[in-house]
Amino acid sequence: MSVSLRMDGVRFSYPSAEGDVLALDRFDLTVEAGEVVCVLGPSGCGKSTLLALAAGLLSPEQGAIVAGERPVEGPGVERALVFQKHALFPWETVRGNVEFGPRVGGVGEAERRKRADELLSAVGLSELDGQYPRQLSEGQRQRVGLARALANEPKVLLMDEPFASLDALTRRQMQALLVSVWQARRQSILFVTHDVDEALALGDRFVVLSARPAKILLERRVARPRDPEALYSPETRALREEALRALGA
Amino acid sequence: MSPRSEPSGRNRSRSDLRDWAVGAASVAAALCAWELLGRSGVYPPHLFPPPSAVARELKSLAASGDLLRDTVASARRWSLGLALGAALGTLMGLLTGVLLPARRVVSPLMNLTRAIPFIVLLPLAMLWFGLGEASKIAIVAWGVFCPVWLSTESAALAVEKEYVWAARTLGAEGWRLWREVHWPCCLPGVVTGLRLAVSTATFALAAAEMSGAFDGLAYRIFYSYQMFQTERMMAGVVALGALAFAVDRLFVAASRRVLPWREEAA
Ligand SMILES: Nc1ncnc2c1ncn2[C@@H]1O[C@H](COP(=O)(O)OP(=O)(O)OP(=O)(O)O)[C@@H](O)[C@H]1O
Ligand SMILES: [Mg+2]
């Protein structure tokens, strides 16, 4: 398998008045093409920072980040980011948000509409396409955020706790949606979550990070296929135990 | 629905109607009180004419064509000054809000001049731009420029990093990023500044017309005062007030259309 995203010896710190905050140091992580890697870690350990670096929104002080064949030098439409706090544009409607990427990318109007229609129906929001973000529930906003990221047809999806604010049922539905999206297009996905069960349900692999600066404490593969019963198999149960132990729970 | 919860949907229009009725009733009551007081003779009627006399005067002003002429003259100065000041203020606010070097260079200078009340610049404006329309429009524009500039600048400074980040990962950079994210983020600031500016513009207009004009509503008020025509003076006040009120309402309606995504537009 070819490598889709690689971080090599990455170091990043935030400047602050009381000295720099070191978020990542000598950090390595690889995501192979079509692979789903889940990232678990305590709050404030540097997970969002990690995604911003992979997205090219932050630049590492040391080390290298490579997407596909090319070094990451800035944001690129082949790497889409789903934000922890949705970050929908309040001045755009639901449809305006979803069409934003294709529109600035110069995709024609008819094609744009078609893509948005498909995505909105996939996330179950076709009826709400004319609403503004403030008129939506948190779960609906999060779904628009996912549709917006997918509209550019990215090769890599960077997802920052996208389902954390959803109720259990909606979260299940969103996970199933993500799985079907992934089965159709086989994007590489780097998925940050604080929910071990979510990591076990979605990931081909998961890593558990230490407190800041983040280090990989544990790395495990999760076997597919992933039917609901598999979540309660002895193997998965053992993985869950291991992950929770690494998280210090 | 609990009795204290927000009215919504169908109940909304009913409560709007009620608010409107209460407002209209309080205005009517004030007018009645004024009328009674005016007629009671507690104050001499040439100092305190009742609304009926003011209305009569307003009618005769309208019939003679003076009212229309004055209104047009005032509206022209007001709107040209507002347009000029708003355009320059928005431009300046975006410049100093987005470009740090521009802010360093321009802001201290602007804050210094801004501290001078614009009324006292009136003689200077007349020296520079003459006694004609230009000086009046300039003073209105200056009065408008400052609030629009400040409000636009603070909106530009408060653009959320998350929106910029989201737009960049979606492929917007450079000019496009500016157009697609910074501008819509600044627009509410521009609108807020303009709403403030609408009242400073009226204020500046009144000052300009009271010193060296030959028509306009504020000129009419001041001239009637000098001629001791109290009823005519009051008629002018009512006309100017009604105009300013109408413009403000119009402005609120317009800003709802410009900012449909806002909870409460301006
Ligand atoms: N803009 C910033 N300026 C200074 N420090 C920051 C900034 N952003 C994050 N940090 C610090 O960097 C560390 C890592 O932050 P990050 O947002 O990556 O954590 P996280 O793992 O995503 O946390 P959470 O699970 O709560 O979202 C934190 O300790 C945080 O305090
Ligand atoms: Mg985070």
Side-chain angles (χ1 to χ4, degrees):
Chain A
M1 247 195 225
S2 63
V3 171
S4 173
L5 187 74
R6 194 174 66 232
M7 307 181 94
D8 252 335
V10 168
R11 177 190 168 93
F12 184 88
S13 55
Y14 291 98
S16 98
E18 303 90 44
D20 293 357
V21 178
L22 188 59
L24 294 170
D25 194 19
R26 276 176 272 162
F27 186 84
D28 306 318
L29 183 68
T30 312
V31 182
E32 280 163 10
E35 191 187 22
V36 182
V37 177
C38 291
V39 177
L40 290 158
S43 181
C45 77
K47 303 184 295 297
S48 295
T49 309
L50 173 75
L51 291 189
L53 284 160
L57 293 165
L58 300 174
S59 330
E61 288 159 36
Q62 285 172 17
I65 305 175
V66 181
E69 304 292 297
R70 276 186 289 150
V72 170
E73 272 155 4
V77 290
E78 79 286 352
R79 280 164 287 130
L81 180 55
V82 179
F83 287 79
Q84 191 166 5
K85 282 177 286 168
H86 68 76
L88 294 181
F89 305 124
W91 58 89
E92 298 275 9
T93 59
V94 166
R95 176 178 291 279
N97 269 284
V98 177
E99 287 188 10
F100 188 94
R103 187 161 56 79
V104 299
V107 174
E109 191 168 347
E111 167 66 14
R112 228 156 61 204
R113 279 198 79 79
K114 201 180 113 237
R115 263 193 226 177
D117 286 338
E118 281 170 16
L119 286 167
L120 287 173
S121 101
V123 297
L125 291 176
S126 301
E127 313 286 279
L128 297 178
D129 70 337
Q131 303 279 78
Y132 287 98
R134 70 174 162 86
Q135 298 168 300
L136 305 181
S137 73
E138 200 52 36
Q140 290 168 333
R141 287 185 198 134
Q142 216 46 266
R143 283 187 265 167
V144 179
L146 177 59
R148 178 175 73 174
L150 291 172
N152 269 341
E153 300 180 343
K155 292 211 215 58
V156 180
L157 264 179
L158 307 164
M159 306 183 74
D160 198 354
E161 306 195 31
F163 308 146
S165 56
L166 307 184
D167 63 89
L169 182 65
T170 319
R171 180 188 299 203
R172 279 276 188 78
Q173 290 168 347
M174 291 299 290
Q175 289 169 355
L177 171 70
L178 185 65
V179 168
S180 70
V181 162
W182 175 82
Q183 277 166 346
R185 292 203 167 266
R186 299 278 163 168
Q187 300 95 337
S188 313
I189 301 178
L190 189 56
F191 190 104
V192 167
T193 176
H194 58 241
D195 179 354
V196 175
D197 282 337
E198 187 165 64
L200 291 171
L202 295 174
D204 294 301
R205 190 151 56 91
F206 69 84
V207 296
V208 177
L209 303 185
S210 67
R212 186 176 64 77
K215 280 266 168 325
I216 294 181
L217 294 177
L218 178 74
E219 176 170 3
R220 288 285 179 273
R221 272 186 188 285
V222 188
R224 289 191 184 268
R226 222 65 62 67
D227 40 79
E229 287 90 79
L231 266 182
Y232 302 99
S233 71
E235 295 82 19
T236 320
R237 207 171 292 197
L239 283 176
R240 183 183 297 116
E241 290 293 311
E242 237 183 326
L244 286 171
R245 227 181 357 256
L247 280 168
Chain B
M1 198 204 250
S2 67
R4 296 197 50 186
S5 66
E6 274 289 296
S8 68
R10 193 152 39 97
N11 290 336
R12 180 65 150 276
S13 62
R14 269 181 62 188
S15 84
D16 274 1
L17 197 67
R18 195 194 53 209
D19 289 354
W20 191 87
V22 169
S26 94
V27 171
L31 279 174
C32 286
W34 177 11
E35 181 77 34
L36 287 175
L37 202 63
R39 285 177 186 231
S40 69
V42 175
Y43 299 104
H46 60 273
L47 289 183
F48 199 80
S52 55
V54 173
R56 240 188 340 269
E57 184 60 31
L58 207 54
K59 232 168 112 183
S60 89
L61 270 176
S64 71
D66 280 347
L67 184 63
L68 183 68
R69 200 167 42 249
D70 287 335
T71 307
V72 168
S74 289
R76 190 164 164 274
R77 289 167 192 143
W78 187 90
S79 50
L80 288 176
L82 186 74
L84 188 67
L88 292 176
T90 305
L91 221 66
M92 201 65 184
L94 292 175
L95 198 72
T96 59
V98 176
L99 299 176
L100 190 62
R103 184 158 70 253
R104 287 213 189 94
V105 173
V106 181
S107 288
L109 188 66
M110 287 305 304
N111 283 321
L112 271 175
T113 41
R114 193 170 61 81
I116 305 166
F118 60 86
I119 304 290
V120 306
L121 295 176
L122 202 59
L124 198 63
M126 289 194 289
L127 274 181
W128 285 356
F129 301 108
L131 287 173
E133 293 301 285
S135 63
K136 294 171 187 62
I137 293 168
I139 209 74
V140 173
W142 177 252
V144 167
F145 173 78
C146 288
V148 173
W149 169 51
L150 282 180
S151 167
T152 307
E153 186 192 66
S154 61
L157 290 173
V159 171
E160 283 197 39
K161 187 191 72 181
E162 292 248 301
Y163 299 147
V164 175
W165 274 19
R168 291 186 64 201
T169 59
L170 291 166
E173 287 291 350
W175 159 251
R176 205 66 207 261
L177 184 65
W178 198 87
R179 167 76 193 76
E180 299 283 351
V181 177
H182 288 89
W183 174 242
C185 284
C186 290
L187 206 51
V190 175
V191 169
T192 308
L194 271 179
R195 177 113 196 253
L196 271 172
V198 164
S199 57
T200 49
T202 317
F203 193 43
L205 175 81
E209 286 187 355
M210 283 179 177
S211 48
F214 304 100
D215 52 8
L217 289 170
Y219 158 79
R220 187 66 54 203
I221 295 165
F222 202 59
Y223 183 77
S224 313
Y225 161 71
Q226 286 173 328
M227 296 288 113
F228 210 60
Q229 296 166 314
T230 315
E231 285 170 9
R232 180 161 288 205
M233 187 181 106
M234 291 267 216
V237 169
V238 168
L240 189 60
L243 198 68
F245 177 75
V247 166
D248 187 60
R249 290 292 92 188
L250 213 70
F251 188 82
V252 171
S255 57
R256 286 225 173 90
R257 299 203 59 161
V258 179
L259 302 171
W261 52 277
R262 275 312 206 63
E263 195 90 50
E264 277 304 320

